[in-house]
Amino acid sequence: MKLKKIMVIGAGQMGSGIAQVCAQAGYDVLLHDLKPEHIDRGLQIISKNINRQVEKNRMTDSEESNVLRRIQKSTDLHDAGGVDIVIEAVVENMDIKRNIFAQLDEITPDHTILASNTSSLPITEIAAATDRPEKVIGMHFMNPVPVMKLVEIIRGLATADDVYKKIEDLTKMLGKVPVEVNDFPGFVSNRVLMPMINEAIYTLYEGVATKEAIDDVIKLGMNHPMGPIELADFIGLDTCLSVMEILHEGFGDDKYRPCPLLRKYVKAGWLGKKAGRGFYIYE
Ligand SMILES: NC(=O)c1ccc[n+]([C@@H]2O[C@H](COP(=O)([O-])OP(=O)(O)OC[C@H]3O[C@@H](n4cnc5c(N)ncnc54)[C@H](O)[C@@H]3O)[C@@H](O)[C@H]2O)c1
């Protein structure tokens, strides 16, 4: 069956970007969140992104209104009853995700594929909350979604080959590049990236250098477009911490111990760019 209608759950930084690229590719999208104001905030981000494309003559006014028209709002999970695929992008919390997947298993038709945009939680464990683990898969978009080409596609232990193929095809339809990985803590992207970010925060914590100096070393010396401290703020310090905790627990190796300074910032609510303050301050 062809995938036509998509529900995106969570209208935050990632969910709004995913809804945008799906609508731009011509899919009908239901953007779901707990409260209407959360969806409106997501839609504002989408409008701003699309407006920028119109200003740069990459999109016409009528294409813009078509994209926005394809995105409908939802605050009732039962709206998933009519969709072919759900892409979940709520907060990085296993209990919340398992609860949503268990409900979706009841609500959605048998053919519906349930995908998670989790950065690091085991797909196999999320899938075990359903009676259709063969139709559960990881679809890990990168931030910012409209710009970044990669989608890491994570096969859970039970994910069926035809489900993988459909998600690979969908990823290409969205103009993205799929990369297949297996379900191990942090997958590939965060297993490599997050220890680097955590080490950069340790370097700051131990007073080796200022945050600006650490970022300059990595930008200018290693040719990265962003420094690791700046990148941590951009990703969200809560997300960085939860990924490090998952690596630490998943491998049982102290080399993944989250830096106490990262914990402190998260406890303070200084979560990075989305909160207006992280290691840097944002106007
Ligand atoms: N931030 C990144 O760079 C990044 C990159 C790749 C993947 N991810 C993953 O994407 C997911 C979302 O991250 P984000 O940065 O967009 O977070 P975010 O905090 O910006 O957005 C999360 C959204 O989920 C909503 N939400 C929470 N509980 C919900 C529920 N029960 N039902 C419906 N909506 C609910 C919140 O209201 C919020 O709008 C996480 O799993 C994260 O690990 C994040």
Side-chain angles (χ1 to χ4, degrees), residues 27-87:
Y27 293 95
D28 290 326
V29 181
L30 271 172
L31 183 56
H32 173 91
D33 208 305
L34 294 170
K35 292 187 184 157
E37 53 267 36
H38 295 171
I39 306 172
D40 289 340
R41 193 185 52 201
L43 287 171
Q44 272 171 18
I45 301 173
I46 296 173
S47 294
K48 215 165 125 193
N49 285 343
I50 294 183
N51 260 322
R52 217 175 294 136
Q53 294 195 45
V54 173
E55 276 162 27
K56 290 181 181 165
N57 292 323
R58 290 191 192 139
M59 197 185 267
T60 62
D61 286 335
S62 75
E63 279 168 338
E64 177 183 16
S65 46
N66 282 339
V67 169
L68 294 174
R69 201 173 323 119
R70 275 185 214 119
I71 306 176
Q72 302 293 318
K73 303 183 199 181
S74 157
T75 47
D76 182 356
L77 207 56
H78 286 90
D79 295 336
V83 305
D84 305 307
I85 168 164
V86 177
I87 307 176

Short mmCIF file of all heavy atoms in Angstrom, two decimals, residues 27-87:
data_model
loop_
_atom_site.label_atom_id
_atom_site.label_comp_id
_atom_site.label_asym_id
_atom_site.label_seq_id
_atom_site.Cartn_x
_atom_site.Cartn_y
_atom_site.Cartn_z
N TYR A 27 2.66 15.27 0.76
CA TYR A 27 1.86 14.40 1.63
C TYR A 27 0.88 15.23 2.46
O TYR A 27 1.16 16.37 2.81
CB TYR A 27 2.77 13.61 2.59
CG TYR A 27 3.63 12.60 1.87
CD1 TYR A 27 4.93 12.91 1.50
CD2 TYR A 27 3.13 11.34 1.55
CE1 TYR A 27 5.73 11.99 0.83
CE2 TYR A 27 3.92 10.42 0.87
CZ TYR A 27 5.21 10.74 0.52
OH TYR A 27 5.99 9.84 -0.16
N ASP A 28 -0.28 14.60 2.78
CA ASP A 28 -1.20 15.23 3.73
C ASP A 28 -0.69 14.92 5.13
O ASP A 28 -0.39 13.76 5.43
CB ASP A 28 -2.61 14.64 3.58
CG ASP A 28 -3.23 15.08 2.27
OD1 ASP A 28 -2.95 16.22 1.85
OD2 ASP A 28 -3.97 14.28 1.68
N VAL A 29 -0.61 15.95 5.95
CA VAL A 29 0.01 15.78 7.27
C VAL A 29 -0.95 16.20 8.38
O VAL A 29 -1.60 17.24 8.29
CB VAL A 29 1.29 16.67 7.38
CG1 VAL A 29 1.95 16.49 8.74
CG2 VAL A 29 2.27 16.34 6.27
N LEU A 30 -1.00 15.39 9.42
CA LEU A 30 -1.70 15.78 10.64
C LEU A 30 -0.62 16.08 11.66
O LEU A 30 0.18 15.19 11.98
CB LEU A 30 -2.54 14.61 11.16
CG LEU A 30 -3.95 14.48 10.65
CD1 LEU A 30 -4.54 13.15 11.14
CD2 LEU A 30 -4.81 15.63 11.15
N LEU A 31 -0.59 17.30 12.15
CA LEU A 31 0.44 17.66 13.14
C LEU A 31 -0.21 17.62 14.52
O LEU A 31 -1.13 18.40 14.81
CB LEU A 31 1.02 19.05 12.83
CG LEU A 31 2.14 19.53 13.74
CD1 LEU A 31 3.31 18.56 13.78
CD2 LEU A 31 2.65 20.91 13.27
N HIS A 32 0.25 16.67 15.34
CA HIS A 32 -0.40 16.43 16.63
C HIS A 32 0.49 16.88 17.79
O HIS A 32 1.69 16.65 17.78
CB HIS A 32 -0.69 14.93 16.77
CG HIS A 32 -1.20 14.53 18.11
ND1 HIS A 32 -2.55 14.50 18.42
CD2 HIS A 32 -0.55 14.17 19.24
CE1 HIS A 32 -2.69 14.13 19.68
NE2 HIS A 32 -1.49 13.92 20.20
N ASP A 33 -0.14 17.51 18.79
CA ASP A 33 0.57 17.81 20.05
C ASP A 33 -0.48 17.85 21.14
O ASP A 33 -1.68 17.72 20.88
CB ASP A 33 1.35 19.14 19.95
CG ASP A 33 2.57 19.17 20.88
OD1 ASP A 33 2.41 18.95 22.09
OD2 ASP A 33 3.69 19.40 20.39
N LEU A 34 -0.01 18.02 22.39
CA LEU A 34 -0.94 17.96 23.52
C LEU A 34 -1.90 19.14 23.55
O LEU A 34 -3.06 19.00 23.89
CB LEU A 34 -0.13 17.93 24.83
CG LEU A 34 0.72 16.68 25.05
CD1 LEU A 34 1.66 16.88 26.25
CD2 LEU A 34 -0.16 15.46 25.27
N LYS A 35 -1.37 20.33 23.18
CA LYS A 35 -2.20 21.54 23.28
C LYS A 35 -2.16 22.32 21.98
O LYS A 35 -1.12 22.35 21.31
CB LYS A 35 -1.66 22.46 24.39
CG LYS A 35 -1.82 21.88 25.77
CD LYS A 35 -1.42 22.92 26.80
CE LYS A 35 -1.47 22.33 28.19
NZ LYS A 35 -0.62 23.04 29.13
N PRO A 36 -3.29 23.01 21.64
CA PRO A 36 -3.32 23.77 20.39
C PRO A 36 -2.18 24.80 20.31
O PRO A 36 -1.61 25.01 19.24
CB PRO A 36 -4.68 24.49 20.42
CG PRO A 36 -5.49 23.76 21.43
CD PRO A 36 -4.56 23.08 22.37
N GLU A 37 -1.82 25.41 21.45
CA GLU A 37 -0.78 26.45 21.39
C GLU A 37 0.58 25.86 21.00
O GLU A 37 1.39 26.54 20.38
CB GLU A 37 -0.69 27.27 22.69
CG GLU A 37 -0.54 26.51 23.97
CD GLU A 37 -1.88 26.19 24.66
OE1 GLU A 37 -2.87 25.94 23.95
OE2 GLU A 37 -1.91 26.18 25.91
N HIS A 38 0.81 24.57 21.35
CA HIS A 38 2.06 23.94 20.93
C HIS A 38 2.08 23.75 19.42
O HIS A 38 3.11 23.92 18.76
CB HIS A 38 2.25 22.57 21.62
CG HIS A 38 2.41 22.68 23.10
ND1 HIS A 38 2.40 21.59 23.93
CD2 HIS A 38 2.59 23.75 23.90
CE1 HIS A 38 2.57 21.99 25.18
NE2 HIS A 38 2.67 23.30 25.18
N ILE A 39 0.93 23.39 18.87
CA ILE A 39 0.86 23.19 17.41
C ILE A 39 1.03 24.55 16.72
O ILE A 39 1.75 24.66 15.72
CB ILE A 39 -0.48 22.56 17.00
CG1 ILE A 39 -0.70 21.27 17.79
CG2 ILE A 39 -0.52 22.28 15.50
CD1 ILE A 39 -2.06 20.66 17.60
N ASP A 40 0.38 25.58 17.27
CA ASP A 40 0.49 26.92 16.66
C ASP A 40 1.94 27.39 16.66
O ASP A 40 2.41 27.97 15.68
CB ASP A 40 -0.39 27.93 17.41
CG ASP A 40 -1.86 27.66 17.15
OD1 ASP A 40 -2.16 26.99 16.14
OD2 ASP A 40 -2.71 28.08 17.95
N ARG A 41 2.67 27.09 17.74
CA ARG A 41 4.09 27.46 17.80
C ARG A 41 4.87 26.73 16.70
O ARG A 41 5.69 27.31 16.00
CB ARG A 41 4.62 27.09 19.19
CG ARG A 41 5.97 27.66 19.55
CD ARG A 41 6.42 27.13 20.90
NE ARG A 41 6.35 25.67 20.92
CZ ARG A 41 6.28 24.91 22.01
NH1 ARG A 41 6.29 25.44 23.19
NH2 ARG A 41 6.22 23.60 21.93
N GLY A 42 4.55 25.44 16.51
CA GLY A 42 5.19 24.65 15.44
C GLY A 42 4.86 25.22 14.07
O GLY A 42 5.73 25.33 13.20
N LEU A 43 3.58 25.58 13.89
CA LEU A 43 3.17 26.12 12.58
C LEU A 43 3.84 27.46 12.29
O LEU A 43 4.15 27.78 11.14
CB LEU A 43 1.64 26.27 12.53
CG LEU A 43 0.87 24.94 12.41
CD1 LEU A 43 -0.63 25.17 12.58
CD2 LEU A 43 1.14 24.27 11.07
N GLN A 44 4.09 28.23 13.35
CA GLN A 44 4.79 29.52 13.17
C GLN A 44 6.21 29.28 12.66
O GLN A 44 6.69 29.99 11.77
CB GLN A 44 4.86 30.27 14.49
CG GLN A 44 3.66 31.17 14.73
CD GLN A 44 3.68 31.71 16.15
OE1 GLN A 44 4.70 31.71 16.83
NE2 GLN A 44 2.53 32.16 16.60
N ILE A 45 6.87 28.26 13.22
CA ILE A 45 8.24 27.93 12.78
C ILE A 45 8.18 27.54 11.30
O ILE A 45 9.01 27.99 10.49
CB ILE A 45 8.83 26.75 13.60
CG1 ILE A 45 8.89 27.09 15.08
CG2 ILE A 45 10.22 26.36 13.09
CD1 ILE A 45 9.31 25.92 15.99
N ILE A 46 7.19 26.72 10.94
CA ILE A 46 7.08 26.27 9.55
C ILE A 46 6.85 27.48 8.62
O ILE A 46 7.51 27.62 7.59
CB ILE A 46 5.92 25.25 9.41
CG1 ILE A 46 6.24 23.99 10.24
CG2 ILE A 46 5.66 24.89 7.94
CD1 ILE A 46 5.10 22.98 10.32
N SER A 47 5.91 28.36 9.01
CA SER A 47 5.61 29.53 8.16
C SER A 47 6.86 30.38 7.96
O SER A 47 7.13 30.84 6.85
CB SER A 47 4.56 30.43 8.82
OG SER A 47 3.37 29.77 8.89
N LYS A 48 7.61 30.58 9.03
CA LYS A 48 8.83 31.39 8.95
C LYS A 48 9.84 30.76 7.99
O LYS A 48 10.37 31.43 7.10
CB LYS A 48 9.46 31.48 10.36
CG LYS A 48 10.11 32.82 10.63
CD LYS A 48 10.35 32.96 12.11
CE LYS A 48 11.80 33.26 12.37
NZ LYS A 48 12.17 33.11 13.78
N ASN A 49 10.01 29.43 8.10
CA ASN A 49 10.95 28.72 7.21
C ASN A 49 10.52 28.84 5.76
O ASN A 49 11.34 29.08 4.87
CB ASN A 49 10.98 27.22 7.55
CG ASN A 49 11.74 26.94 8.82
OD1 ASN A 49 12.50 27.77 9.27
ND2 ASN A 49 11.54 25.77 9.39
N ILE A 50 9.23 28.66 5.53
CA ILE A 50 8.74 28.65 4.15
C ILE A 50 8.78 30.07 3.56
O ILE A 50 9.14 30.26 2.40
CB ILE A 50 7.32 28.05 4.10
CG1 ILE A 50 7.41 26.57 4.47
CG2 ILE A 50 6.70 28.18 2.72
CD1 ILE A 50 6.13 25.83 4.40
N ASN A 51 8.45 31.06 4.40
CA ASN A 51 8.53 32.46 3.95
C ASN A 51 9.93 32.80 3.45
O ASN A 51 10.10 33.50 2.46
CB ASN A 51 8.23 33.39 5.12
CG ASN A 51 6.82 33.88 5.04
OD1 ASN A 51 6.34 34.14 3.95
ND2 ASN A 51 6.16 33.99 6.18
N ARG A 52 10.92 32.27 4.18
CA ARG A 52 12.31 32.52 3.81
C ARG A 52 12.58 31.94 2.42
O ARG A 52 13.27 32.53 1.61
CB ARG A 52 13.24 31.90 4.85
CG ARG A 52 14.47 32.76 5.09
CD ARG A 52 15.34 32.22 6.21
NE ARG A 52 14.70 32.27 7.51
CZ ARG A 52 14.73 31.27 8.41
NH1 ARG A 52 15.34 30.16 8.14
NH2 ARG A 52 14.15 31.41 9.58
N GLN A 53 11.99 30.78 2.14
CA GLN A 53 12.20 30.16 0.82
C GLN A 53 11.53 30.97 -0.28
O GLN A 53 12.03 31.07 -1.39
CB GLN A 53 11.64 28.74 0.81
CG GLN A 53 12.39 27.82 1.75
CD GLN A 53 12.08 26.37 1.47
OE1 GLN A 53 12.05 25.94 0.34
NE2 GLN A 53 11.80 25.61 2.52
N VAL A 54 10.37 31.58 0.04
CA VAL A 54 9.68 32.42 -0.94
C VAL A 54 10.53 33.67 -1.22
O VAL A 54 10.73 34.05 -2.37
CB VAL A 54 8.26 32.81 -0.44
CG1 VAL A 54 7.60 33.82 -1.36
CG2 VAL A 54 7.40 31.55 -0.29
N GLU A 55 11.06 34.25 -0.14
CA GLU A 55 11.91 35.45 -0.30
C GLU A 55 13.13 35.16 -1.18
O GLU A 55 13.59 36.03 -1.92
CB GLU A 55 12.39 35.93 1.07
CG GLU A 55 11.38 36.82 1.79
CD GLU A 55 11.67 36.92 3.29
OE1 GLU A 55 12.84 36.77 3.69
OE2 GLU A 55 10.70 37.11 4.04
N LYS A 56 13.64 33.92 -1.07
CA LYS A 56 14.82 33.56 -1.86
C LYS A 56 14.43 33.01 -3.24
O LYS A 56 15.27 32.42 -3.93
CB LYS A 56 15.65 32.50 -1.11
CG LYS A 56 16.34 33.05 0.12
CD LYS A 56 17.17 31.96 0.79
CE LYS A 56 17.85 32.47 2.05
NZ LYS A 56 18.36 31.39 2.89
N ASN A 57 13.15 33.15 -3.60
CA ASN A 57 12.62 32.67 -4.88
C ASN A 57 12.79 31.17 -5.10
O ASN A 57 12.86 30.70 -6.23
CB ASN A 57 13.28 33.41 -6.07
CG ASN A 57 12.87 34.85 -6.09
OD1 ASN A 57 11.71 35.19 -5.77
ND2 ASN A 57 13.81 35.72 -6.43
N ARG A 58 12.83 30.43 -3.99
CA ARG A 58 12.93 28.96 -4.13
C ARG A 58 11.53 28.34 -4.10
O ARG A 58 11.37 27.15 -4.30
CB ARG A 58 13.76 28.37 -2.99
CG ARG A 58 15.22 28.73 -3.09
CD ARG A 58 16.04 27.91 -2.11
NE ARG A 58 17.36 28.44 -1.99
CZ ARG A 58 18.05 28.57 -0.86
NH1 ARG A 58 17.51 28.21 0.27
NH2 ARG A 58 19.27 29.05 -0.87
N MET A 59 10.54 29.16 -3.79
CA MET A 59 9.17 28.67 -3.72
C MET A 59 8.23 29.81 -4.08
O MET A 59 8.53 30.97 -3.77
CB MET A 59 8.90 28.21 -2.27
CG MET A 59 7.69 27.32 -2.12
SD MET A 59 7.37 26.96 -0.39
CE MET A 59 8.24 25.46 -0.16
N THR A 60 7.12 29.49 -4.79
CA THR A 60 6.18 30.55 -5.15
C THR A 60 5.16 30.72 -4.01
O THR A 60 5.02 29.85 -3.15
CB THR A 60 5.42 30.19 -6.43
OG1 THR A 60 4.66 29.00 -6.16
CG2 THR A 60 6.35 29.95 -7.61
N ASP A 61 4.42 31.86 -4.10
CA ASP A 61 3.39 32.11 -3.08
C ASP A 61 2.34 30.99 -3.06
O ASP A 61 1.87 30.59 -2.00
CB ASP A 61 2.68 33.44 -3.37
CG ASP A 61 3.59 34.61 -3.01
OD1 ASP A 61 4.47 34.42 -2.16
OD2 ASP A 61 3.42 35.69 -3.61
N SER A 62 1.99 30.50 -4.28
CA SER A 62 0.93 29.48 -4.29
C SER A 62 1.45 28.15 -3.75
O SER A 62 0.72 27.42 -3.07
CB SER A 62 0.31 29.32 -5.69
OG SER A 62 1.18 28.62 -6.52
N GLU A 63 2.74 27.83 -4.01
CA GLU A 63 3.31 26.61 -3.41
C GLU A 63 3.30 26.73 -1.88
O GLU A 63 2.99 25.78 -1.17
CB GLU A 63 4.76 26.39 -3.89
CG GLU A 63 4.84 25.75 -5.26
CD GLU A 63 6.26 25.81 -5.85
OE1 GLU A 63 7.07 26.67 -5.42
OE2 GLU A 63 6.54 25.02 -6.73
N GLU A 64 3.61 27.95 -1.41
CA GLU A 64 3.63 28.18 0.04
C GLU A 64 2.25 27.88 0.65
O GLU A 64 2.13 27.14 1.62
CB GLU A 64 4.02 29.63 0.33
CG GLU A 64 3.98 29.94 1.81
CD GLU A 64 4.29 31.40 2.14
OE1 GLU A 64 4.24 32.24 1.23
OE2 GLU A 64 4.55 31.68 3.31
N SER A 65 1.20 28.43 0.00
CA SER A 65 -0.11 28.20 0.62
C SER A 65 -0.54 26.75 0.48
O SER A 65 -1.22 26.22 1.36
CB SER A 65 -1.17 29.17 0.09
OG SER A 65 -1.09 29.24 -1.29
N ASN A 66 -0.09 26.06 -0.60
CA ASN A 66 -0.42 24.62 -0.72
C ASN A 66 0.22 23.82 0.39
O ASN A 66 -0.40 22.93 0.96
CB ASN A 66 0.07 24.06 -2.07
CG ASN A 66 -0.87 24.46 -3.19
OD1 ASN A 66 -2.03 24.78 -2.94
ND2 ASN A 66 -0.37 24.44 -4.41
N VAL A 67 1.48 24.13 0.68
CA VAL A 67 2.19 23.40 1.74
C VAL A 67 1.46 23.60 3.07
O VAL A 67 1.16 22.64 3.79
CB VAL A 67 3.66 23.87 1.85
CG1 VAL A 67 4.32 23.31 3.11
CG2 VAL A 67 4.45 23.44 0.62
N LEU A 68 1.12 24.87 3.37
CA LEU A 68 0.48 25.14 4.66
C LEU A 68 -0.91 24.50 4.73
O LEU A 68 -1.33 24.02 5.79
CB LEU A 68 0.41 26.65 4.91
CG LEU A 68 1.79 27.32 5.09
CD1 LEU A 68 1.66 28.82 5.19
CD2 LEU A 68 2.51 26.77 6.34
N ARG A 69 -1.58 24.46 3.59
CA ARG A 69 -2.93 23.86 3.56
C ARG A 69 -2.88 22.35 3.82
O ARG A 69 -3.82 21.76 4.33
CB ARG A 69 -3.61 24.15 2.22
CG ARG A 69 -5.10 24.03 2.31
CD ARG A 69 -5.86 24.47 1.06
NE ARG A 69 -5.30 25.61 0.38
CZ ARG A 69 -4.84 25.57 -0.88
NH1 ARG A 69 -4.87 24.45 -1.57
NH2 ARG A 69 -4.38 26.67 -1.46
N ARG A 70 -1.77 21.72 3.44
CA ARG A 70 -1.66 20.26 3.61
C ARG A 70 -1.47 19.85 5.08
O ARG A 70 -1.56 18.70 5.41
CB ARG A 70 -0.47 19.72 2.80
CG ARG A 70 -0.84 19.44 1.37
CD ARG A 70 0.31 18.80 0.60
NE ARG A 70 0.25 19.28 -0.76
CZ ARG A 70 1.19 19.98 -1.36
NH1 ARG A 70 2.32 20.25 -0.75
NH2 ARG A 70 1.02 20.41 -2.59
N ILE A 71 -1.13 20.83 5.94
CA ILE A 71 -0.90 20.48 7.35
C ILE A 71 -2.14 20.80 8.19
O ILE A 71 -2.54 21.96 8.31
CB ILE A 71 0.32 21.25 7.91
CG1 ILE A 71 1.55 21.00 7.02
CG2 ILE A 71 0.62 20.82 9.34
CD1 ILE A 71 2.78 21.79 7.42
N GLN A 72 -2.74 19.76 8.75
CA GLN A 72 -3.92 19.94 9.62
C GLN A 72 -3.49 19.74 11.07
O GLN A 72 -2.56 19.00 11.35
CB GLN A 72 -4.99 18.89 9.28
CG GLN A 72 -5.46 18.92 7.83
CD GLN A 72 -6.23 20.20 7.50
OE1 GLN A 72 -7.03 20.66 8.30
NE2 GLN A 72 -5.94 20.78 6.34
N LYS A 73 -4.25 20.40 11.97
CA LYS A 73 -3.89 20.29 13.39
C LYS A 73 -4.64 19.12 14.05
O LYS A 73 -5.77 18.83 13.67
CB LYS A 73 -4.31 21.56 14.14
CG LYS A 73 -3.73 22.84 13.59
CD LYS A 73 -4.20 23.97 14.48
CE LYS A 73 -4.09 25.32 13.80
NZ LYS A 73 -4.53 26.43 14.65
N SER A 74 -4.01 18.54 15.06
CA SER A 74 -4.68 17.48 15.83
C SER A 74 -4.25 17.52 17.28
O SER A 74 -3.06 17.58 17.59
CB SER A 74 -4.33 16.11 15.25
OG SER A 74 -4.50 15.11 16.23
N THR A 75 -5.25 17.48 18.19
CA THR A 75 -4.91 17.32 19.61
C THR A 75 -5.53 16.02 20.14
O THR A 75 -5.47 15.76 21.34
CB THR A 75 -5.42 18.51 20.45
OG1 THR A 75 -6.77 18.78 20.09
CG2 THR A 75 -4.58 19.75 20.26
N ASP A 76 -6.12 15.23 19.23
CA ASP A 76 -6.74 13.97 19.63
C ASP A 76 -6.00 12.83 18.92
O ASP A 76 -6.01 12.74 17.70
CB ASP A 76 -8.23 13.99 19.22
CG ASP A 76 -8.94 12.73 19.65
OD1 ASP A 76 -8.29 11.80 20.18
OD2 ASP A 76 -10.17 12.66 19.44
N LEU A 77 -5.37 11.95 19.71
CA LEU A 77 -4.57 10.87 19.12
C LEU A 77 -5.43 9.95 18.24
O LEU A 77 -4.92 9.29 17.34
CB LEU A 77 -3.88 10.07 20.24
CG LEU A 77 -2.59 9.37 19.87
CD1 LEU A 77 -1.54 10.32 19.29
CD2 LEU A 77 -2.00 8.64 21.07
N HIS A 78 -6.75 9.92 18.50
CA HIS A 78 -7.63 9.07 17.69
C HIS A 78 -7.66 9.50 16.23
O HIS A 78 -8.07 8.72 15.36
CB HIS A 78 -9.05 9.04 18.27
CG HIS A 78 -9.12 8.21 19.51
ND1 HIS A 78 -8.90 8.75 20.76
CD2 HIS A 78 -9.29 6.88 19.68
CE1 HIS A 78 -8.96 7.77 21.66
NE2 HIS A 78 -9.19 6.63 21.02
N ASP A 79 -7.19 10.73 15.94
CA ASP A 79 -7.10 11.16 14.53
C ASP A 79 -6.15 10.26 13.74
O ASP A 79 -6.15 10.26 12.52
CB ASP A 79 -6.61 12.62 14.45
CG ASP A 79 -7.61 13.58 15.06
OD1 ASP A 79 -8.80 13.23 15.12
OD2 ASP A 79 -7.20 14.68 15.49
N ALA A 80 -5.30 9.49 14.46
CA ALA A 80 -4.34 8.59 13.79
C ALA A 80 -5.07 7.43 13.10
O ALA A 80 -4.45 6.67 12.35
CB ALA A 80 -3.32 8.05 14.78
N GLY A 81 -6.37 7.30 13.34
CA GLY A 81 -7.16 6.20 12.76
C GLY A 81 -7.16 6.20 11.25
O GLY A 81 -7.44 5.17 10.64
N GLY A 82 -6.82 7.33 10.62
CA GLY A 82 -6.88 7.38 9.16
C GLY A 82 -5.53 7.58 8.49
O GLY A 82 -5.47 8.02 7.34
N VAL A 83 -4.45 7.27 9.17
CA VAL A 83 -3.15 7.57 8.56
C VAL A 83 -2.37 6.29 8.22
O VAL A 83 -2.61 5.22 8.79
CB VAL A 83 -2.26 8.51 9.43
CG1 VAL A 83 -3.01 9.78 9.78
CG2 VAL A 83 -1.78 7.81 10.69
N ASP A 84 -1.45 6.43 7.24
CA ASP A 84 -0.66 5.27 6.79
C ASP A 84 0.66 5.15 7.56
O ASP A 84 1.26 4.09 7.62
CB ASP A 84 -0.33 5.41 5.30
CG ASP A 84 -1.59 5.60 4.50
OD1 ASP A 84 -2.49 4.77 4.65
OD2 ASP A 84 -1.69 6.59 3.73
N ILE A 85 1.12 6.28 8.07
CA ILE A 85 2.35 6.25 8.85
C ILE A 85 2.29 7.32 9.93
O ILE A 85 1.75 8.41 9.70
CB ILE A 85 3.62 6.43 7.96
CG1 ILE A 85 4.83 6.70 8.84
CG2 ILE A 85 3.48 7.51 6.92
CD1 ILE A 85 6.15 6.53 8.16
N VAL A 86 2.82 6.99 11.07
CA VAL A 86 2.95 7.97 12.16
C VAL A 86 4.45 8.17 12.38
O VAL A 86 5.21 7.20 12.44
CB VAL A 86 2.32 7.44 13.47
CG1 VAL A 86 2.55 8.45 14.59
CG2 VAL A 86 0.84 7.15 13.30
N ILE A 87 4.87 9.43 12.46
CA ILE A 87 6.26 9.72 12.83
C ILE A 87 6.21 10.45 14.16
O ILE A 87 5.71 11.57 14.25
CB ILE A 87 7.00 10.57 11.77
CG1 ILE A 87 6.88 9.92 10.38
CG2 ILE A 87 8.47 10.75 12.16
CD1 ILE A 87 7.48 10.74 9.25
#
